[in-house]
């Protein structure tokens, strides 16, 4: 079947399970907009923009996805291949610009390459450690016609890397550490949710009776109401959680990357603890914190292998010690967040922006389920909350979605309120009978500025 490159984009996205695309039109991407017969939602977020300023406006979003390992495919229009490199109107080297902030990016200049490139983009965005992929398609490739053959456009990628990439000796060393530790503590990160390891993680925690501290993006991976859950670690975590980490004799880091907001001063970080690092991305091993055993692999697979090896689980004296660690006794500006938590029975998806309110949310909304806190962790992108909440509402139309945003960040993207209104009527046709904007709730803390830590 002969289709234009633009039609191949639409046909390929539909076959890849995409139901929604978020975009902003412009000259160099109009052929694709024209070919979009109906709106397209899948696990992977798809965003589309025109060339030049459209593409550069995507840069902060792409960097946010890269830092937080979010699978995203961005499609940009590009000027015709005949004028590439001539500083044509709205020409920008977006693959050059986004090289360090994408897992992969590529320029497509021929209609016949569109389908395979998009299939590769989806595979790469969602494989291993997820992240953003950018596909830049020239206008002539969108307009030209080519034979569309889905089967023949199978991605030509090297064989999938082995997911577990550590040897038996390393594994045995980790098991020995787990079974001899007196004061073990888990550092739980986003990777647990990314690998779908929540059940395996809970079994591992129960088998060893390990206390669990979470990173910002790890919140939700283990129920907040479980007595073994200590809450958030790091600069914005409770002091006693960090004290427990400093006193542990074994840290078991799962799907986290020892970010500086987690460790603070590396010279004094958890000096008395041996460390096991379970992580899919080898580049993260020994990057910030030197570890004693590195189990490189998919969190779920590694945890499923480790759990049956656990023989030592009586850490009651240690857990009593942690519970007796002194808290500073203050509850700053947390009452409203706590009330939202109570009001929503902890069941809402909460999307935060970046700033003081973000930390209040992380401490005082107690998330029991994965993927119910959506926040920009690694890049700390103000303006994130409202647009991300629109995406969350599309992906989970029957969930109550709350936006917790500061006055500063709200001003950056408050124009998206118009998008909510505009999309309200077609929205229910996608999948949501109850996807009304009233279900997207906004909390603007009328609190003092971040550095004035007073109760609100
Ligand atoms: C795009 C961007 N610009 C600047 C910053 C630096 N920054 C981090 S928090 C913050 C203030 C946020 O204020 P507000 O949105 O009112 O939230 P609050 O801290 O008051 O809860 C600023 C300027 C950022 N993270 N992102
Ligand atoms: Mg503010």
């Amino acid at each position: 079947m002969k289709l234009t490159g633009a039609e191949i984009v639409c046909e390929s996205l539909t076959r890849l399970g995409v139901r929604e695309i978020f975009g902003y039109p412009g000259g160099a991407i109009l052929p694709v907009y024209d070919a979009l017969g109906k709106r397209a939602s899948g696990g992977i977020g798809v965003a589309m923009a025109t060339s030049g300023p459209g593409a550069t406006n995507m840069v902060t979003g792409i960097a946010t996805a890269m830092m937080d390992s979010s699978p995203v495919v961005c499609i940009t229009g590009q000027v015709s291949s005949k004028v590439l490199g001539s500083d044509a109107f709205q020409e920008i080297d977006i693959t050059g610009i986004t090289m360090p902030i994408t897992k992969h990016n590529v320029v497509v200049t021929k209609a016949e390459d569109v389908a395979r490139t998009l299939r590769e983009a989806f595979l790469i965005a969602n494989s291993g450690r997820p992240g953003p992929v950018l596909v830049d398609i020239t206008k002539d490739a969108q307009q030209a016609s080519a034979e569309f053959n889905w089967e023949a456009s199978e991605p030509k990628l090297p064989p999938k890397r082995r997911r577990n990439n550590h040897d038996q000796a390393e594994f045995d060393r980790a098991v020995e550490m787990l079974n001899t530790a007196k004061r073990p503590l888990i550092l739980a990160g986003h990777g647990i949710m990314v690998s779908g390891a929540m059940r395996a993680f809970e079994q591992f925690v129960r088998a060893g009776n390990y206390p669990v501290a979470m990173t910002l993006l790890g919140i939700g991976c283990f129920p907040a109401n479980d007595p073994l859950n200590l809450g958030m670690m790091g600069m914005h975590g409770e002091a006693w959680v960090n004290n427990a980490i400093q006193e542990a004799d074994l840290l078991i880091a799962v799907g986290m990357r020892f970010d500086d907001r987690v460790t603070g001063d590396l010279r004094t970080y958890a000096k008395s603890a041996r460390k096991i690092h379970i992580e899919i991305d080898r580049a993260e091993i020994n990057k910030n914190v030197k570890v004693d055993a590195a189990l490189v692999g998919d969190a779920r697979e590694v945890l499923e292998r480790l759990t049956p090896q656990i023989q030592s689980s009586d850490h009651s004296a240690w857990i009593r010690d942690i519970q007796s660690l002194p808290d500073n006794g203050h509850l700053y500006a947390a009452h409203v967040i706590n009330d939202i938590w109570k009001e929503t029975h902890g069941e809402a998806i909460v999307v935060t922006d970046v700033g003081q309110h973000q930390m209040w949310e992380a401490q005082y909304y107690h998330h029991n389920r994965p993927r119910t806190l959506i926040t920009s962790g690694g890049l700390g992108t103000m303006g994130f909350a409202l647009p991300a909440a629109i995406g969350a509402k599309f992906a989970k139309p029957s969930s109550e979605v709350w936006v917790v945003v500061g006055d500063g960040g709200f001003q950056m993207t408050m124009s998206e309120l118009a998008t909510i209104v505009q999309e309200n009527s077609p929205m229910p046709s996608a999948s949501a009978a109850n996807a009304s904007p009233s279900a997207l709730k906004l909390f603007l803390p009328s609190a003092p500025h971040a550095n004035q830590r007073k109760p609100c």
Side-chain angles (χ1 to χ4, degrees):
M1 160 176 53
K2 252 195 150 56
L3 297 177
T4 66
E7 288 165 342
I8 295 174
V9 171
C10 300
E11 186 62 34
S12 301
L13 292 177
T14 304
R15 288 178 189 237
L16 286 162
V18 175
R19 298 209 319 274
E20 280 114 18
I21 303 170
F22 297 88
Y24 207 92
I29 194 70
L30 278 181
V32 175
Y33 269 81
D34 286 341
L36 280 172
K38 50 180 187 269
R39 283 183 308 137
S41 169
I44 299 184
V46 181
M48 196 152 78
T50 190
S51 65
T56 52
N57 273 344
M58 278 182 148
V59 168
T60 304
I62 294 172
T64 304
M66 186 70 176
M67 289 290 264
D68 289 347
S69 310
S70 308
V72 170
V73 172
C74 294
I75 300 167
T76 44
Q78 183 54 279
V79 299
S80 171
S81 63
K82 292 169 197 67
V83 294
L84 264 182
S86 71
D87 291 338
F89 177 66
Q90 293 190 332
E91 178 185 0
I92 204 79
D93 175 10
I94 195 62
T95 47
I97 290 174
T98 58
M99 182 84 80
I101 53 166
T102 48
K103 277 184 87 176
H104 175 67
N105 67 25
V106 59
V107 185
V108 181
T109 57
K110 293 196 184 92
E112 52 264 43
D113 295 338
V114 168
R116 185 174 48 80
T117 309
L118 283 173
R119 291 182 75 174
E120 287 180 356
F122 273 66
L123 201 63
I124 295 168
N126 219 11
S127 65
R129 180 177 179 172
V133 176
L134 182 130
V135 180
D136 192 36
I137 310 176
T138 61
K139 191 159 183 181
D140 53 335
Q142 295 172 45
Q143 286 168 325
S145 294
E147 195 58 36
F148 175 71
N149 184 337
W150 189 245
E151 287 69 35
S153 61
E154 184 81 24
K156 287 191 197 134
L157 288 178
K160 243 172 126 182
R161 265 191 303 158
R162 256 181 47 215
R163 300 183 87 187
N164 281 339
N165 200 1
H166 53 268
D167 60 23
Q168 189 63 31
E170 196 90 356
F171 183 82
D172 293 343
R173 197 157 60 245
V175 170
E176 183 270 331
M177 286 186 231
L178 289 173
N179 286 328
T180 53
K182 296 277 177 285
R183 301 186 307 280
L185 192 147
I186 297 178
L187 307 175
H190 188 199
I192 294 170
M193 284 179 278
V194 171
S195 90
M198 287 75 76
R199 253 178 72 87
F201 180 70
E202 183 169 353
Q203 284 162 354
F204 176 74
V205 173
R206 303 253 176 264
N209 238 327
Y210 301 122
V212 180
M214 294 168 305
T215 67
L216 176 63
L217 292 186
I219 288 174
C221 75
F222 188 65
N225 57 11
D226 192 291
L228 286 169
N229 192 325
L230 306 180
M232 188 167 69
M233 66 183 102
M235 185 191 274
H236 298 282
E238 300 280 7
W240 60 274
V241 179
N242 295 318
N243 291 341
I245 292 170
Q246 291 302 89
E247 288 185 17
D249 69 351
L250 177 68
L251 293 180
I252 310 149
V254 190
M256 56 83 76
R257 60 191 174 87
F258 294 103
D259 175 69
D260 55 290
R261 297 283 151 138
V262 156
T263 62
D265 188 344
L266 288 171
R267 288 168 305 180
T268 54
Y269 180 70
K271 280 287 166 228
S272 32
R274 295 203 284 175
K275 291 152 192 112
I276 300 171
H277 198 175
I278 302 169
E279 166 59 47
I280 199 158
D281 185 353
R282 181 170 284 284
E284 293 295 346
I285 306 294
N286 296 326
K287 187 179 87 178
N288 296 334
V289 171
K290 195 171 157 11
V291 297
D292 302 275
L295 302 181
V296 176
D298 175 71
R300 184 164 60 82
E301 291 175 25
V302 176
L303 291 169
E304 280 171 355
R305 281 185 67 211
L306 277 177
T307 301
Q309 308 297 322
I310 295 175
Q311 285 151 10
S312 152
S313 62
D314 181 13
H315 303 118
S316 44
W318 163 232
I319 290 164
R320 271 199 309 276
D321 282 354
I322 296 178
Q323 280 159 356
S324 66
L325 285 169
D327 197 346
N328 67 10
H330 298 295
L331 190 64
Y332 293 119
H335 306 122
V336 176
I337 302 282
N338 214 50
D339 284 351
I340 294 176
W341 169 66
K342 279 196 237 149
E343 196 66 31
T344 60
H345 312 288
E347 293 291 320
I349 294 174
V350 185
V351 187
T352 81
D353 213 75
V354 173
Q356 186 59 52
H357 65 276
Q358 182 185 27
M359 299 301 132
W360 291 336
E361 199 290 340
Q363 289 184 335
Y364 303 113
Y365 192 103
H366 308 293
H367 292 269
N368 287 324
R369 289 187 294 111
R371 300 195 174 93
T372 54
L373 168 61
I374 299 173
T375 192
S376 168
L379 197 64
T381 306
M382 282 174 74
F384 174 89
L386 191 55
I390 295 172
K393 189 69 199 170
F394 268 97
K396 292 270 175 200
S398 57
S399 297
E400 188 170 339
V401 178
W402 275 78
V403 179
V404 178
V405 58
D407 53 318
F410 182 58
Q411 287 181 58
M412 286 188 174
T413 48
M414 65 187 181
S415 52
E416 296 306 325
L417 288 174
T419 307
I420 295 171
V421 173
Q422 174 183 307
E423 293 302 313
N424 181 43
S425 48
M427 198 162 11
S429 67
S431 46
N434 50 352
S436 71
S438 62
L440 191 73
K441 302 199 169 131
L442 200 63
F443 169 50
L444 271 154
S446 56
H449 190 263
N451 52 18
Q452 286 172 279
R453 290 171 146 245
K454 289 188 196 140
C456 61

